[in-house]
Amino acid sequence: MTSGAPTGLSTTRGDLRRNFWRGVWRVLRRKPSRLLGVALMLMFVVMATAGPMLYQRPLPRDPDNFFAPPSLQHPFGTDFQGVDVLSLVVVGSRYVLLTAFITAVITVVLGTGIGLFAGFRRGRLDAVLMRITDINLTIPGLPILLVLSTVWQFASPWEMGLVLGLLGWGALARAVRSQTLSLRERGFIEAARGLGLSTPHIVFRELLPPIAPYIAMNLLMSLILAVWAQVGLFFLGVMPVIGENWGVMLNRAVFDFGAMTTAARLPYMLAPLLALLLLTVAIVLVVDAMDEVFNPRLREE
Amino acid sequence: MKGFARRLAGQLARGLVMVWVVLTFTFVIISIMPGDPVRAEYENLLQQGYSPEQAEAQAAMLHRFRPTGSVFEQYVDYVGSLLRFDLGQSLYSRVDVATVLADAAKWTVIPVLLGTVLSFGLGVVVGVYAAIKRSSKLGDMLTMSGSLLRGIPDFVVGLLLASIFATLWPILPRQGAVNILYEPWTVEYVLSLGYHAILPVATYTISAYGGFILAMKSSVVTVLGDDFILAAELRGMKRSIIFRYIARNAILPLFTVFALSVAAVFSGAIFIERIFNYPGLGMLLIDSIGRRDITVMAGALLLITVAVIIANIVADLFYSVIDPRIRRAGDRV
């Protein structure tokens, strides 16, 4: 009897995991759009990791074909040097996705850390942290970034991601704090405290798991924000228009190559824009699916 | 009322701290800028034959701090001059920065407010409809349109509008704020103003619309579940009157959304003005960065942040005035 208990426990845990994945599959299958979202997401990840390796550098030029219209050979035409626009999009995806990923990670780590700490500790430190969060939330990031770009060029995805992450953690910190505040008064936390469990244990093993789904969704949403923020920054053309990046493509298309004055050059602008929109749609669809996975109340039977 | 005053004072104090943070940030940026533009200006003046005192005074008038002072002295001068509302002079045009900013501000403030008000009206009407018809296909689609538009950033909306209405089907102007050939304030001038404002204002309207429709929908859904609506229905009141009850109660939280939306659109205006070459504050900020006109850059940054901070304060105050629970809680303090 006694020896049966541990195996019984482990099978329940295995069952739980299997049930979870079965639930995920059921949620995905109910709306085909969600499957599409996951597929798109995978496509972008492959594009960013393996895509740049498919092309030789510098990108092959087609000297007879400047600003070629879309054709089978060049689905989105060519640019001012005869470089295939599609290859530019593929190559540019790495900077965009890597930056977005770094930003999201920094946002989540800072936001969760500060929110948990402030909510759990409360008191004076909480007040100070929340004032800082207020400042972070209120001061508009874009003009600050523009001015910052006069002394810092954000050449690598790491620098860009770091800055965007440092500017964007406020909303998550506030939300995590308010959830922590309400959770810490609940019975199971009180029980954990009564058992004399250590603070790290209470924070990371008891408090964090119920908030984790929310944080995961926030990670995805901050991916979207980071993608648009960096692309927008390069699009404005305040920073040097160099490198392989969708924002740089947009900037060139609109302000240098007259994509807005000559209809024939529109594809050069539409290609990165389309990629951006698809990426946004993919993330939104995945968030929609995750929302239902983690929120059983939303499941319409 | 005492609670309100207290809240206002607290918000203002917070706002001032934020302004100070931005000020310090700009000062640091200017100090570490490559090539030390203030020092360069000073040396340039010396070479032009100014005496050291004259050159120093001239550079100080432009930048509001002495090129030869210590960093701490410069910082004190810099903050001090702002307390006197002295923003220095443009390095590019030698015009007072305050004048440059005032010229640009009207091209941002009026279209942004116009766009947000239009969007507010549209979002409220569609939001009520989406809430009442929320179980039908149309209601679902309206909500989806809101989520979708909220996910698309303003500059993409601007680019798409520009490529449709100025490139593929060229019926609207894409550049500038007015046809400069017209004399100010003739009929043609005013018409041209309106004509040029269509695309930027439409962009502001569309990019703010998503937030309004979603907020209004969720607010109406909450009110629909309230007891007083059920009571009104049971008393057999006319649908139009019940509708008025719903709208009046549901619209209150929207004023907070409105103020926050103004703040968002205001900083988003940087993109829209760049796309449509519209001579507002955002364009001024970009141009001044491009020309390394650091006094104007600092001024534009400050003005944009102050506008956003004020909109946030207004949002918070709306929130406290509208929700009696918060108001009373404040009074008791």
Side-chain angles (χ1 to χ4, degrees), chain A residues 120-121 196-205:
Chain A
F120 195 73
R121 274 293 179 81
L197 294 171
S198 65
T199 308
H201 179 96
I202 295 179
V203 170
F204 292 108
R205 304 296 294 273

Side-chain angles (χ1 to χ4, degrees), chain B:
Chain B
M1 212 52 225
K2 206 174 127 214
F4 180 79
R6 191 180 274 260
R7 204 177 173 90
L8 179 64
Q11 287 289 341
L12 285 179
R14 236 180 266 181
L16 281 179
V17 171
M18 288 181 209
V19 170
W20 171 75
V21 169
V22 173
L23 268 183
T24 311
F25 167 78
T26 354
F27 179 79
V28 171
I29 293 286
I30 293 173
S31 321
I32 62 175
M33 220 175 225
D36 198 348
V38 184
R39 188 88 206 180
E41 178 85 36
Y42 173 66
E43 261 139 37
N44 187 24
L45 288 167
L46 279 182
Q47 280 190 349
Q48 283 174 18
Y50 282 88
S51 72
E53 291 79 33
Q54 274 177 320
E56 177 140 11
Q58 179 77 10
M61 197 174 80
L62 285 169
H63 292 282
R64 293 161 299 139
F65 54 81
R66 304 190 161 272
T68 49
S70 72
V71 175
F72 181 71
E73 283 167 10
Q74 291 181 340
Y75 182 66
V76 171
D77 280 354
Y78 187 78
V79 176
S81 63
L82 270 166
L83 292 178
R84 300 189 301 272
F85 294 103
D86 174 13
L87 293 164
Q89 286 181 0
S90 161
L91 305 186
Y92 175 75
S93 61
R94 305 286 149 147
V95 180
D96 273 347
V97 171
T99 319
V100 179
L101 289 180
D103 275 347
K106 59 175 184 285
W107 296 112
T108 300
V109 173
I110 297 171
V112 162
L113 284 181
L114 193 61
T116 329
V117 167
L118 280 174
S119 190
F120 180 79
L122 200 67
V124 163
V125 173
V126 178
V128 171
Y129 196 77
I132 292 175
K133 301 265 174 197
R134 67 185 175 287
S135 43
S136 76
K137 261 233 142 67
L138 183 66
D140 230 28
M141 270 168 59
L142 290 174
T143 315
M144 270 302 278
S145 80
S147 318
L148 203 69
L149 280 174
R150 211 173 51 160
I152 299 177
D154 34 14
F155 72 92
V156 176
V157 176
L159 280 178
L160 290 179
L161 282 182
S163 41
I164 294 170
F165 294 106
T167 312
L168 293 175
W169 184 34
I171 51 164
L172 290 170
R174 196 182 72 81
Q175 298 275 334
V178 69
N179 189 333
I180 47 165
L181 295 177
Y182 297 130
E183 284 286 307
W185 306 117
T186 57
V187 178
E188 290 100 336
Y189 181 86
V190 174
L191 283 179
S192 160
L193 267 184
Y195 193 46
H196 281 77
I198 293 177
L199 277 180
V201 170
T203 311
Y204 295 140
T205 310
I206 293 175
S207 41
Y209 156 85
F212 285 125
I213 171 176
L214 293 183
M216 189 64 190
K217 188 201 158 193
S218 75
S219 174
V220 170
V221 170
T222 320
V223 173
L224 278 176
D226 276 354
D227 290 340
F228 74 93
I229 298 293
L230 185 66
E233 268 170 4
L234 290 178
R235 272 186 287 151
M237 289 176 90
K238 267 193 256 162
R239 282 213 71 83
S240 59
I241 296 178
I242 296 179
F243 186 81
R244 211 181 302 157
Y245 279 6
I246 296 171
R248 203 178 279 175
N249 281 286
I251 210 166
L252 291 178
L254 264 279
F255 287 104
T256 307
V257 181
F258 179 79
L260 290 176
S261 184
V262 169
V265 176
F266 210 92
S267 57
I270 298 174
F271 287 116
I272 312 310
E273 286 166 7
R274 175 85 166 101
I275 292 172
F276 296 107
N277 207 0
Y278 212 72
L281 281 175
M283 199 66 208
L284 187 69
L285 180 66
I286 292 172
D287 282 344
S288 61
I289 291 173
R291 296 175 189 138
R292 290 293 186 268
D293 188 352
I294 51 177
T295 47
V296 172
M297 176 190 87
L301 176 70
L302 189 66
L303 195 55
I304 292 174
T305 359
V306 166
V308 170
I309 291 171
I310 289 176
N312 272 287
I313 292 178
V314 171
D316 184 84
L317 293 179
F318 262 139
Y319 183 63
S320 70
V321 169
I322 286 163
D323 193 332
R325 280 166 302 181
I326 292 176
R327 192 170 58 212
R328 279 191 215 121
D331 277 342
R332 230 179 285 132
V333 174

Side-chain angles (χ1 to χ4, degrees), chain A residues 101-262:
Chain A
F101 180 71
I102 296 164
T103 310
V105 168
I106 293 176
T107 307
V108 164
V109 169
L110 277 179
T112 312
I114 292 174
L116 273 177
F117 193 73
F120 195 73
R121 274 293 179 81
R122 296 194 295 191
R124 180 160 295 175
L125 201 65
D126 173 32
V128 172
L129 283 175
M130 281 304 110
R131 286 295 88 79
I132 298 175
T133 309
D134 270 346
I135 293 176
N136 184 282
L137 272 174
T138 311
I139 293 178
L142 176 70
I144 295 278
L145 273 173
L146 290 178
V147 170
L148 195 60
S149 73
T150 55
V151 293
W152 192 4
Q153 309 293 355
F154 315 120
S156 77
W158 298 95
E159 297 165 60
M160 186 91 230
L162 178 72
V163 176
L164 287 175
L166 285 177
L167 284 171
W169 52 267
L172 181 62
R174 187 182 275 181
V176 168
R177 172 183 173 265
S178 72
Q179 297 211 9
T180 310
L181 278 179
S182 79
L183 279 177
R184 78 194 295 280
E185 304 304 329
R186 298 268 284 278
F188 69 100
I189 299 291
E190 224 164 288
R193 241 188 252 130
L195 284 172
L197 294 171
S198 65
T199 308
H201 179 96
I202 295 179
V203 170
F204 292 108
R205 304 296 294 273
E206 308 287 342
L207 264 177
L208 199 53
I211 318 178
Y214 179 83
I215 296 170
M217 310 251 288
N218 224 286
L219 183 91
L220 284 174
M221 294 314 281
S222 54
L223 273 180
I224 298 188
L225 291 180
V227 166
W228 289 114
Q230 48 157 329
V231 167
L233 211 52
F234 279 101
F235 164 71
L236 283 176
V238 172
M239 295 192 293
V241 191
I242 42 163
E244 294 159 335
N245 179 314
W246 295 346
V248 171
M249 288 182 76
L250 273 181
N251 173 277
R252 288 219 176 110
V254 173
F255 299 114
D256 292 347
F257 303 146
M260 302 257 94
T261 43
T262 344

